[in-house]
Amino acid sequence: MSPAFGGDSSSKSVINALQILEEVATMGPGVTAVELSRHLGLSKSATYRLVNLLAQEEYLVRTPDLGGFALGARIDRMLGAAAGPPVSDQLRTALDEVRSGLRFGVHLFGCHRAGTSRARLSLMDIDPDYPLSDPGRLLHDLTASAAGRLMTAIGSGHPAAAPTHASQIGSFIPNFGCVSVPVWGADSTLVAALTIAAPAKHIENPETLVRLLADPARRVAEIMAPGEE
C-alpha cells in the first residue's frame, strides 16, 4: 500500500492515519510502529507521530506487553454503534458494579440467532478500561473468541444441556485470553455472553472466573428480560 496522495500535508496525514488503522486491522494486534513504517512506506518519524496521536485519541491502544498496537476503544464504539443500540442505564450500572470488583476486563456481547447459519455477535457493552484488540475479527470469526465459541457450542440448545462456559487463549493477544458464560433469555434462548478478559494463567483454570460471573450473568438476564428497565 502506498502513502502517496495528492493534496496538502494535512490531507496526506489524514490518509496516512487511515492507512495505519487499516494496516493494524489487517495485521492484527501487536504490530509495531517499525512494521507499520515498513509496510506502508512511511518514514519512522511520521509513523511514530501518527501512532502516538491515534493512541492518544483512543483509535489505537498499546498491547499489554507495550510492544505493539491494536485497534482502540473508539474503533470499538464505532463498531458497537453499527451493531446495535446502547444498553440501558440499569444494565450499564450493573456491569460497572461487576467491573469495580474485578481487576480484569468485563465485556457483554449480544448473541443473535444462535444455532442458525445467520448466527452473529454484537458489541453490547465493552469495558472502557480494557478495549478490544481486534473487534472486527471478534464479530466475524466465531471460532476466535470465547463468546463466539460459546454461542456455537450452545447453538439452539436448552440451558439444562448447555456448557457452562467457553474460553480462548492467544487468539488475539499472546498469553492473554477470555472466558464467557451464557446469559439466558426468558424463553430459554441464548441472548448474550458475559465475558472476562485476563492473562492466560487465569484462563487455563477458569472455574474461579466462571463462579465470579454466575451471579452477574443472572442479574444481566433479569435486566434484559422483557418488561425490565
PDB file of all heavy atoms in Angstrom, residues 177-217:
ATOM      1  N   GLY A 177      -6.289 -14.154  27.278  1.00  0.00           N
ATOM      2  CA  GLY A 177      -7.493 -14.801  26.760  1.00  0.00           C
ATOM      3  C   GLY A 177      -8.739 -14.322  27.457  1.00  0.00           C
ATOM      4  O   GLY A 177      -8.735 -13.291  28.134  1.00  0.00           O
ATOM      5  N   CYS A 178      -9.824 -15.088  27.310  1.00  0.00           N
ATOM      6  CA  CYS A 178     -11.080 -14.701  27.937  1.00  0.00           C
ATOM      7  C   CYS A 178     -11.951 -15.925  28.197  1.00  0.00           C
ATOM      8  O   CYS A 178     -11.771 -16.979  27.601  1.00  0.00           O
ATOM      9  CB  CYS A 178     -11.831 -13.674  27.096  1.00  0.00           C
ATOM     10  SG  CYS A 178     -12.109 -14.158  25.387  1.00  0.00           S
ATOM     11  N   VAL A 179     -12.888 -15.741  29.114  1.00  0.00           N
ATOM     12  CA  VAL A 179     -13.875 -16.758  29.467  1.00  0.00           C
ATOM     13  C   VAL A 179     -15.250 -16.123  29.343  1.00  0.00           C
ATOM     14  O   VAL A 179     -15.470 -15.000  29.816  1.00  0.00           O
ATOM     15  CB  VAL A 179     -13.675 -17.273  30.902  1.00  0.00           C
ATOM     16  CG1 VAL A 179     -14.815 -18.209  31.299  1.00  0.00           C
ATOM     17  CG2 VAL A 179     -12.353 -17.990  31.034  1.00  0.00           C
ATOM     18  N   SER A 180     -16.185 -16.831  28.709  1.00  0.00           N
ATOM     19  CA  SER A 180     -17.556 -16.334  28.537  1.00  0.00           C
ATOM     20  C   SER A 180     -18.544 -17.295  29.166  1.00  0.00           C
ATOM     21  O   SER A 180     -18.385 -18.518  29.076  1.00  0.00           O
ATOM     22  CB  SER A 180     -17.898 -16.177  27.050  1.00  0.00           C
ATOM     23  OG  SER A 180     -17.167 -15.132  26.458  1.00  0.00           O
ATOM     24  N   VAL A 181     -19.574 -16.724  29.810  1.00  0.00           N
ATOM     25  CA  VAL A 181     -20.673 -17.529  30.350  1.00  0.00           C
ATOM     26  C   VAL A 181     -21.967 -17.055  29.686  1.00  0.00           C
ATOM     27  O   VAL A 181     -22.075 -15.900  29.268  1.00  0.00           O
ATOM     28  CB  VAL A 181     -20.787 -17.411  31.882  1.00  0.00           C
ATOM     29  CG1 VAL A 181     -19.494 -17.874  32.552  1.00  0.00           C
ATOM     30  CG2 VAL A 181     -21.128 -15.991  32.306  1.00  0.00           C
ATOM     31  N   PRO A 182     -22.964 -17.935  29.570  1.00  0.00           N
ATOM     32  CA  PRO A 182     -24.191 -17.565  28.863  1.00  0.00           C
ATOM     33  C   PRO A 182     -25.117 -16.676  29.680  1.00  0.00           C
ATOM     34  O   PRO A 182     -25.177 -16.766  30.910  1.00  0.00           O
ATOM     35  CB  PRO A 182     -24.845 -18.920  28.581  1.00  0.00           C
ATOM     36  CG  PRO A 182     -24.335 -19.812  29.661  1.00  0.00           C
ATOM     37  CD  PRO A 182     -22.941 -19.352  29.954  1.00  0.00           C
ATOM     38  N   VAL A 183     -25.836 -15.824  28.987  1.00  0.00           N
ATOM     39  CA  VAL A 183     -26.939 -15.051  29.551  1.00  0.00           C
ATOM     40  C   VAL A 183     -28.196 -15.523  28.836  1.00  0.00           C
ATOM     41  O   VAL A 183     -28.294 -15.395  27.610  1.00  0.00           O
ATOM     42  CB  VAL A 183     -26.742 -13.535  29.349  1.00  0.00           C
ATOM     43  CG1 VAL A 183     -27.958 -12.766  29.854  1.00  0.00           C
ATOM     44  CG2 VAL A 183     -25.467 -13.066  30.059  1.00  0.00           C
ATOM     45  N   TRP A 184     -29.136 -16.081  29.598  1.00  0.00           N
ATOM     46  CA  TRP A 184     -30.317 -16.710  29.001  1.00  0.00           C
ATOM     47  C   TRP A 184     -31.518 -15.783  29.004  1.00  0.00           C
ATOM     48  O   TRP A 184     -31.754 -15.062  29.971  1.00  0.00           O
ATOM     49  CB  TRP A 184     -30.667 -17.985  29.755  1.00  0.00           C
ATOM     50  CG  TRP A 184     -29.591 -19.034  29.691  1.00  0.00           C
ATOM     51  CD1 TRP A 184     -28.667 -19.328  30.654  1.00  0.00           C
ATOM     52  CD2 TRP A 184     -29.317 -19.894  28.582  1.00  0.00           C
ATOM     53  NE1 TRP A 184     -27.829 -20.319  30.215  1.00  0.00           N
ATOM     54  CE2 TRP A 184     -28.195 -20.687  28.954  1.00  0.00           C
ATOM     55  CE3 TRP A 184     -29.888 -20.066  27.321  1.00  0.00           C
ATOM     56  CZ2 TRP A 184     -27.656 -21.655  28.103  1.00  0.00           C
ATOM     57  CZ3 TRP A 184     -29.348 -21.027  26.477  1.00  0.00           C
ATOM     58  CH2 TRP A 184     -28.251 -21.803  26.864  1.00  0.00           C
ATOM     59  N   GLY A 185     -32.263 -15.805  27.916  1.00  0.00           N
ATOM     60  CA  GLY A 185     -33.489 -15.031  27.824  1.00  0.00           C
ATOM     61  C   GLY A 185     -34.637 -15.736  28.520  1.00  0.00           C
ATOM     62  O   GLY A 185     -34.526 -16.904  28.940  1.00  0.00           O
ATOM     63  N   ALA A 186     -35.767 -15.039  28.642  1.00  0.00           N
ATOM     64  CA  ALA A 186     -36.935 -15.597  29.323  1.00  0.00           C
ATOM     65  C   ALA A 186     -37.460 -16.842  28.633  1.00  0.00           C
ATOM     66  O   ALA A 186     -38.082 -17.715  29.264  1.00  0.00           O
ATOM     67  CB  ALA A 186     -38.027 -14.543  29.414  1.00  0.00           C
ATOM     68  N   ASP A 187     -37.219 -16.978  27.328  1.00  0.00           N
ATOM     69  CA  ASP A 187     -37.688 -18.148  26.587  1.00  0.00           C
ATOM     70  C   ASP A 187     -36.600 -19.216  26.458  1.00  0.00           C
ATOM     71  O   ASP A 187     -36.684 -20.105  25.603  1.00  0.00           O
ATOM     72  CB  ASP A 187     -38.162 -17.730  25.187  1.00  0.00           C
ATOM     73  CG  ASP A 187     -37.055 -17.028  24.390  1.00  0.00           C
ATOM     74  OD1 ASP A 187     -35.973 -16.774  24.964  1.00  0.00           O
ATOM     75  OD2 ASP A 187     -37.281 -16.731  23.206  1.00  0.00           O
ATOM     76  N   SER A 188     -35.597 -19.141  27.338  1.00  0.00           N
ATOM     77  CA  SER A 188     -34.509 -20.125  27.392  1.00  0.00           C
ATOM     78  C   SER A 188     -33.652 -20.142  26.128  1.00  0.00           C
ATOM     79  O   SER A 188     -33.071 -21.171  25.778  1.00  0.00           O
ATOM     80  CB  SER A 188     -35.060 -21.534  27.658  1.00  0.00           C
ATOM     81  OG  SER A 188     -35.678 -21.589  28.929  1.00  0.00           O
ATOM     82  N   THR A 189     -33.559 -19.017  25.457  1.00  0.00           N
ATOM     83  CA  THR A 189     -32.635 -18.881  24.328  1.00  0.00           C
ATOM     84  C   THR A 189     -31.436 -18.044  24.765  1.00  0.00           C
ATOM     85  O   THR A 189     -31.541 -17.197  25.660  1.00  0.00           O
ATOM     86  CB  THR A 189     -33.302 -18.211  23.119  1.00  0.00           C
ATOM     87  OG1 THR A 189     -33.763 -16.899  23.506  1.00  0.00           O
ATOM     88  CG2 THR A 189     -34.476 -19.043  22.623  1.00  0.00           C
ATOM     89  N   LEU A 190     -30.319 -18.275  24.139  1.00  0.00           N
ATOM     90  CA  LEU A 190     -29.113 -17.526  24.453  1.00  0.00           C
ATOM     91  C   LEU A 190     -29.243 -16.112  23.892  1.00  0.00           C
ATOM     92  O   LEU A 190     -29.446 -15.933  22.693  1.00  0.00           O
ATOM     93  CB  LEU A 190     -27.895 -18.218  23.835  1.00  0.00           C
ATOM     94  CG  LEU A 190     -26.539 -17.582  24.117  1.00  0.00           C
ATOM     95  CD1 LEU A 190     -26.158 -17.740  25.585  1.00  0.00           C
ATOM     96  CD2 LEU A 190     -25.468 -18.209  23.218  1.00  0.00           C
ATOM     97  N   VAL A 191     -29.128 -15.102  24.753  1.00  0.00           N
ATOM     98  CA  VAL A 191     -29.276 -13.719  24.305  1.00  0.00           C
ATOM     99  C   VAL A 191     -27.982 -12.920  24.403  1.00  0.00           C
ATOM    100  O   VAL A 191     -27.821 -11.893  23.743  1.00  0.00           O
ATOM    101  CB  VAL A 191     -30.384 -12.989  25.089  1.00  0.00           C
ATOM    102  CG1 VAL A 191     -31.742 -13.623  24.805  1.00  0.00           C
ATOM    103  CG2 VAL A 191     -30.093 -12.979  26.579  1.00  0.00           C
ATOM    104  N   ALA A 192     -27.046 -13.376  25.246  1.00  0.00           N
ATOM    105  CA  ALA A 192     -25.807 -12.624  25.421  1.00  0.00           C
ATOM    106  C   ALA A 192     -24.743 -13.521  26.038  1.00  0.00           C
ATOM    107  O   ALA A 192     -25.031 -14.621  26.528  1.00  0.00           O
ATOM    108  CB  ALA A 192     -26.043 -11.392  26.302  1.00  0.00           C
ATOM    109  N   ALA A 193     -23.515 -13.028  26.003  1.00  0.00           N
ATOM    110  CA  ALA A 193     -22.390 -13.713  26.641  1.00  0.00           C
ATOM    111  C   ALA A 193     -21.647 -12.696  27.496  1.00  0.00           C
ATOM    112  O   ALA A 193     -21.228 -11.647  26.999  1.00  0.00           O
ATOM    113  CB  ALA A 193     -21.456 -14.309  25.595  1.00  0.00           C
ATOM    114  N   LEU A 194     -21.532 -12.991  28.779  1.00  0.00           N
ATOM    115  CA  LEU A 194     -20.785 -12.125  29.701  1.00  0.00           C
ATOM    116  C   LEU A 194     -19.361 -12.674  29.780  1.00  0.00           C
ATOM    117  O   LEU A 194     -19.157 -13.862  30.039  1.00  0.00           O
ATOM    118  CB  LEU A 194     -21.436 -12.119  31.074  1.00  0.00           C
ATOM    119  CG  LEU A 194     -20.898 -11.108  32.091  1.00  0.00           C
ATOM    120  CD1 LEU A 194     -21.066  -9.672  31.596  1.00  0.00           C
ATOM    121  CD2 LEU A 194     -21.600 -11.282  33.439  1.00  0.00           C
ATOM    122  N   THR A 195     -18.390 -11.797  29.568  1.00  0.00           N
ATOM    123  CA  THR A 195     -17.026 -12.248  29.321  1.00  0.00           C
ATOM    124  C   THR A 195     -16.019 -11.519  30.191  1.00  0.00           C
ATOM    125  O   THR A 195     -16.110 -10.311  30.382  1.00  0.00           O
ATOM    126  CB  THR A 195     -16.662 -12.016  27.833  1.00  0.00           C
ATOM    127  OG1 THR A 195     -17.579 -12.739  27.014  1.00  0.00           O
ATOM    128  CG2 THR A 195     -15.250 -12.467  27.532  1.00  0.00           C
ATOM    129  N   ILE A 196     -15.055 -12.284  30.720  1.00  0.00           N
ATOM    130  CA  ILE A 196     -13.898 -11.714  31.414  1.00  0.00           C
ATOM    131  C   ILE A 196     -12.666 -11.932  30.552  1.00  0.00           C
ATOM    132  O   ILE A 196     -12.428 -13.045  30.068  1.00  0.00           O
ATOM    133  CB  ILE A 196     -13.681 -12.373  32.788  1.00  0.00           C
ATOM    134  CG1 ILE A 196     -14.685 -11.849  33.814  1.00  0.00           C
ATOM    135  CG2 ILE A 196     -12.264 -12.081  33.308  1.00  0.00           C
ATOM    136  CD1 ILE A 196     -14.481 -12.404  35.221  1.00  0.00           C
ATOM    137  N   ALA A 197     -11.888 -10.878  30.358  1.00  0.00           N
ATOM    138  CA  ALA A 197     -10.607 -10.969  29.657  1.00  0.00           C
ATOM    139  C   ALA A 197      -9.493 -10.873  30.687  1.00  0.00           C
ATOM    140  O   ALA A 197      -9.497  -9.974  31.536  1.00  0.00           O
ATOM    141  CB  ALA A 197     -10.484  -9.840  28.636  1.00  0.00           C
ATOM    142  N   ALA A 198      -8.528 -11.813  30.636  1.00  0.00           N
ATOM    143  CA  ALA A 198      -7.499 -11.886  31.667  1.00  0.00           C
ATOM    144  C   ALA A 198      -6.255 -12.583  31.131  1.00  0.00           C
ATOM    145  O   ALA A 198      -6.295 -13.236  30.081  1.00  0.00           O
ATOM    146  CB  ALA A 198      -8.050 -12.648  32.878  1.00  0.00           C
ATOM    147  N   PRO A 199      -5.137 -12.482  31.856  1.00  0.00           N
ATOM    148  CA  PRO A 199      -3.934 -13.228  31.462  1.00  0.00           C
ATOM    149  C   PRO A 199      -4.204 -14.726  31.412  1.00  0.00           C
ATOM    150  O   PRO A 199      -5.077 -15.255  32.101  1.00  0.00           O
ATOM    151  CB  PRO A 199      -2.937 -12.874  32.574  1.00  0.00           C
ATOM    152  CG  PRO A 199      -3.382 -11.534  33.062  1.00  0.00           C
ATOM    153  CD  PRO A 199      -4.881 -11.575  32.990  1.00  0.00           C
ATOM    154  N   ALA A 200      -3.413 -15.420  30.584  1.00  0.00           N
ATOM    155  CA  ALA A 200      -3.651 -16.833  30.307  1.00  0.00           C
ATOM    156  C   ALA A 200      -3.679 -17.697  31.562  1.00  0.00           C
ATOM    157  O   ALA A 200      -4.446 -18.662  31.643  1.00  0.00           O
ATOM    158  CB  ALA A 200      -2.583 -17.348  29.342  1.00  0.00           C
ATOM    159  N   LYS A 201      -2.863 -17.376  32.567  1.00  0.00           N
ATOM    160  CA  LYS A 201      -2.793 -18.222  33.761  1.00  0.00           C
ATOM    161  C   LYS A 201      -4.140 -18.301  34.475  1.00  0.00           C
ATOM    162  O   LYS A 201      -4.410 -19.292  35.159  1.00  0.00           O
ATOM    163  CB  LYS A 201      -1.721 -17.709  34.712  1.00  0.00           C
ATOM    164  CG  LYS A 201      -1.984 -16.309  35.274  1.00  0.00           C
ATOM    165  CD  LYS A 201      -0.846 -15.878  36.196  1.00  0.00           C
ATOM    166  CE  LYS A 201      -1.092 -14.488  36.786  1.00  0.00           C
ATOM    167  NZ  LYS A 201       0.008 -14.072  37.683  1.00  0.00           N
ATOM    168  N   HIS A 202      -4.982 -17.277  34.304  1.00  0.00           N
ATOM    169  CA  HIS A 202      -6.309 -17.297  34.918  1.00  0.00           C
ATOM    170  C   HIS A 202      -7.313 -18.039  34.040  1.00  0.00           C
ATOM    171  O   HIS A 202      -8.315 -18.548  34.543  1.00  0.00           O
ATOM    172  CB  HIS A 202      -6.803 -15.877  35.172  1.00  0.00           C
ATOM    173  CG  HIS A 202      -5.942 -15.087  36.102  1.00  0.00           C
ATOM    174  ND1 HIS A 202      -5.955 -15.268  37.471  1.00  0.00           N
ATOM    175  CD2 HIS A 202      -5.017 -14.125  35.863  1.00  0.00           C
ATOM    176  CE1 HIS A 202      -5.089 -14.443  38.043  1.00  0.00           C
ATOM    177  NE2 HIS A 202      -4.508 -13.742  37.079  1.00  0.00           N
ATOM    178  N   ILE A 203      -7.059 -18.075  32.751  1.00  0.00           N
ATOM    179  CA  ILE A 203      -7.976 -18.727  31.818  1.00  0.00           C
ATOM    180  C   ILE A 203      -7.748 -20.232  31.772  1.00  0.00           C
ATOM    181  O   ILE A 203      -8.667 -21.002  31.515  1.00  0.00           O
ATOM    182  CB  ILE A 203      -7.814 -18.133  30.395  1.00  0.00           C
ATOM    183  CG1 ILE A 203      -7.900 -16.595  30.444  1.00  0.00           C
ATOM    184  CG2 ILE A 203      -8.862 -18.689  29.453  1.00  0.00           C
ATOM    185  CD1 ILE A 203      -9.213 -16.063  30.954  1.00  0.00           C
ATOM    186  N   GLU A 204      -6.524 -20.663  32.028  1.00  0.00           N
ATOM    187  CA  GLU A 204      -6.199 -22.089  31.947  1.00  0.00           C
ATOM    188  C   GLU A 204      -7.010 -22.919  32.937  1.00  0.00           C
ATOM    189  O   GLU A 204      -7.349 -24.075  32.662  1.00  0.00           O
ATOM    190  CB  GLU A 204      -4.701 -22.280  32.180  1.00  0.00           C
ATOM    191  CG  GLU A 204      -3.856 -21.745  31.017  1.00  0.00           C
ATOM    192  CD  GLU A 204      -2.383 -21.665  31.348  1.00  0.00           C
ATOM    193  OE1 GLU A 204      -2.037 -21.859  32.551  1.00  0.00           O
ATOM    194  OE2 GLU A 204      -1.582 -21.398  30.437  1.00  0.00           O
ATOM    195  N   ASN A 205      -7.319 -22.348  34.087  1.00  0.00           N
ATOM    196  CA  ASN A 205      -8.191 -22.990  35.081  1.00  0.00           C
ATOM    197  C   ASN A 205      -9.307 -22.004  35.410  1.00  0.00           C
ATOM    198  O   ASN A 205      -9.223 -21.267  36.396  1.00  0.00           O
ATOM    199  CB  ASN A 205      -7.394 -23.366  36.337  1.00  0.00           C
ATOM    200  CG  ASN A 205      -6.305 -24.376  36.038  1.00  0.00           C
ATOM    201  OD1 ASN A 205      -6.581 -25.530  35.754  1.00  0.00           O
ATOM    202  ND2 ASN A 205      -5.056 -23.928  36.087  1.00  0.00           N
ATOM    203  N   PRO A 206     -10.355 -21.973  34.569  1.00  0.00           N
ATOM    204  CA  PRO A 206     -11.323 -20.871  34.601  1.00  0.00           C
ATOM    205  C   PRO A 206     -12.428 -20.989  35.651  1.00  0.00           C
ATOM    206  O   PRO A 206     -13.298 -20.125  35.695  1.00  0.00           O
ATOM    207  CB  PRO A 206     -11.930 -20.938  33.203  1.00  0.00           C
ATOM    208  CG  PRO A 206     -11.907 -22.391  32.869  1.00  0.00           C
ATOM    209  CD  PRO A 206     -10.635 -22.923  33.473  1.00  0.00           C
ATOM    210  N   GLU A 207     -12.395 -22.028  36.479  1.00  0.00           N
ATOM    211  CA  GLU A 207     -13.518 -22.249  37.381  1.00  0.00           C
ATOM    212  C   GLU A 207     -13.797 -21.046  38.291  1.00  0.00           C
ATOM    213  O   GLU A 207     -14.957 -20.699  38.526  1.00  0.00           O
ATOM    214  CB  GLU A 207     -13.278 -23.502  38.239  1.00  0.00           C
ATOM    215  CG  GLU A 207     -13.311 -24.816  37.466  1.00  0.00           C
ATOM    216  CD  GLU A 207     -12.030 -25.064  36.679  1.00  0.00           C
ATOM    217  OE1 GLU A 207     -11.024 -24.350  36.915  1.00  0.00           O
ATOM    218  OE2 GLU A 207     -12.027 -25.961  35.814  1.00  0.00           O
ATOM    219  N   THR A 208     -12.739 -20.408  38.789  1.00  0.00           N
ATOM    220  CA  THR A 208     -12.937 -19.246  39.666  1.00  0.00           C
ATOM    221  C   THR A 208     -13.627 -18.111  38.915  1.00  0.00           C
ATOM    222  O   THR A 208     -14.558 -17.477  39.428  1.00  0.00           O
ATOM    223  CB  THR A 208     -11.591 -18.759  40.219  1.00  0.00           C
ATOM    224  OG1 THR A 208     -11.010 -19.794  41.022  1.00  0.00           O
ATOM    225  CG2 THR A 208     -11.789 -17.517  41.094  1.00  0.00           C
ATOM    226  N   LEU A 209     -13.187 -17.852  37.681  1.00  0.00           N
ATOM    227  CA  LEU A 209     -13.797 -16.784  36.890  1.00  0.00           C
ATOM    228  C   LEU A 209     -15.241 -17.120  36.546  1.00  0.00           C
ATOM    229  O   LEU A 209     -16.111 -16.233  36.551  1.00  0.00           O
ATOM    230  CB  LEU A 209     -12.993 -16.547  35.613  1.00  0.00           C
ATOM    231  CG  LEU A 209     -11.550 -16.067  35.791  1.00  0.00           C
ATOM    232  CD1 LEU A 209     -10.897 -15.848  34.438  1.00  0.00           C
ATOM    233  CD2 LEU A 209     -11.495 -14.794  36.624  1.00  0.00           C
ATOM    234  N   VAL A 210     -15.521 -18.377  36.257  1.00  0.00           N
ATOM    235  CA  VAL A 210     -16.891 -18.787  35.935  1.00  0.00           C
ATOM    236  C   VAL A 210     -17.799 -18.550  37.136  1.00  0.00           C
ATOM    237  O   VAL A 210     -18.927 -18.058  36.992  1.00  0.00           O
ATOM    238  CB  VAL A 210     -16.923 -20.266  35.501  1.00  0.00           C
ATOM    239  CG1 VAL A 210     -18.374 -20.748  35.353  1.00  0.00           C
ATOM    240  CG2 VAL A 210     -16.172 -20.450  34.184  1.00  0.00           C
ATOM    241  N   ARG A 211     -17.306 -18.862  38.329  1.00  0.00           N
ATOM    242  CA  ARG A 211     -18.110 -18.618  39.543  1.00  0.00           C
ATOM    243  C   ARG A 211     -18.337 -17.127  39.739  1.00  0.00           C
ATOM    244  O   ARG A 211     -19.435 -16.704  40.139  1.00  0.00           O
ATOM    245  CB  ARG A 211     -17.417 -19.229  40.762  1.00  0.00           C
ATOM    246  CG  ARG A 211     -17.492 -20.746  40.829  1.00  0.00           C
ATOM    247  CD  ARG A 211     -17.123 -21.246  42.213  1.00  0.00           C
ATOM    248  NE  ARG A 211     -15.743 -20.941  42.560  1.00  0.00           N
ATOM    249  CZ  ARG A 211     -14.706 -21.732  42.289  1.00  0.00           C
ATOM    250  NH1 ARG A 211     -14.894 -22.886  41.660  1.00  0.00           N
ATOM    251  NH2 ARG A 211     -13.482 -21.380  42.647  1.00  0.00           N
ATOM    252  N   LEU A 212     -17.313 -16.324  39.473  1.00  0.00           N
ATOM    253  CA  LEU A 212     -17.457 -14.874  39.636  1.00  0.00           C
ATOM    254  C   LEU A 212     -18.502 -14.290  38.687  1.00  0.00           C
ATOM    255  O   LEU A 212     -19.175 -13.296  39.015  1.00  0.00           O
ATOM    256  CB  LEU A 212     -16.117 -14.185  39.396  1.00  0.00           C
ATOM    257  CG  LEU A 212     -15.049 -14.339  40.471  1.00  0.00           C
ATOM    258  CD1 LEU A 212     -13.727 -13.752  39.995  1.00  0.00           C
ATOM    259  CD2 LEU A 212     -15.482 -13.664  41.768  1.00  0.00           C
ATOM    260  N   LEU A 213     -18.659 -14.905  37.526  1.00  0.00           N
ATOM    261  CA  LEU A 213     -19.600 -14.385  36.532  1.00  0.00           C
ATOM    262  C   LEU A 213     -21.020 -14.909  36.704  1.00  0.00           C
ATOM    263  O   LEU A 213     -21.949 -14.357  36.092  1.00  0.00           O
ATOM    264  CB  LEU A 213     -19.105 -14.755  35.126  1.00  0.00           C
ATOM    265  CG  LEU A 213     -17.879 -14.004  34.594  1.00  0.00           C
ATOM    266  CD1 LEU A 213     -17.485 -14.552  33.238  1.00  0.00           C
ATOM    267  CD2 LEU A 213     -18.142 -12.503  34.512  1.00  0.00           C
ATOM    268  N   ALA A 214     -21.212 -15.939  37.511  1.00  0.00           N
ATOM    269  CA  ALA A 214     -22.522 -16.597  37.591  1.00  0.00           C
ATOM    270  C   ALA A 214     -23.623 -15.644  38.046  1.00  0.00           C
ATOM    271  O   ALA A 214     -24.660 -15.501  37.369  1.00  0.00           O
ATOM    272  CB  ALA A 214     -22.444 -17.806  38.519  1.00  0.00           C
ATOM    273  N   ASP A 215     -23.440 -15.000  39.180  1.00  0.00           N
ATOM    274  CA  ASP A 215     -24.480 -14.088  39.681  1.00  0.00           C
ATOM    275  C   ASP A 215     -24.664 -12.874  38.765  1.00  0.00           C
ATOM    276  O   ASP A 215     -25.806 -12.484  38.471  1.00  0.00           O
ATOM    277  CB  ASP A 215     -24.161 -13.639  41.105  1.00  0.00           C
ATOM    278  CG  ASP A 215     -24.448 -14.737  42.122  1.00  0.00           C
ATOM    279  OD1 ASP A 215     -25.224 -15.665  41.807  1.00  0.00           O
ATOM    280  OD2 ASP A 215     -23.889 -14.667  43.238  1.00  0.00           O
ATOM    281  N   PRO A 216     -23.576 -12.220  38.305  1.00  0.00           N
ATOM    282  CA  PRO A 216     -23.766 -11.112  37.361  1.00  0.00           C
ATOM    283  C   PRO A 216     -24.514 -11.521  36.097  1.00  0.00           C
ATOM    284  O   PRO A 216     -25.325 -10.750  35.577  1.00  0.00           O
ATOM    285  CB  PRO A 216     -22.333 -10.674  37.040  1.00  0.00           C
ATOM    286  CG  PRO A 216     -21.548 -11.042  38.245  1.00  0.00           C
ATOM    287  CD  PRO A 216     -22.154 -12.327  38.718  1.00  0.00           C
ATOM    288  N   ALA A 217     -24.262 -12.727  35.588  1.00  0.00           N
ATOM    289  CA  ALA A 217     -24.964 -13.180  34.385  1.00  0.00           C
ATOM    290  C   ALA A 217     -26.458 -13.303  34.636  1.00  0.00           C
ATOM    291  O   ALA A 217     -27.278 -12.952  33.781  1.00  0.00           O
ATOM    292  CB  ALA A 217     -24.394 -14.517  33.905  1.00  0.00           C
TER     293      ALA A 217
END
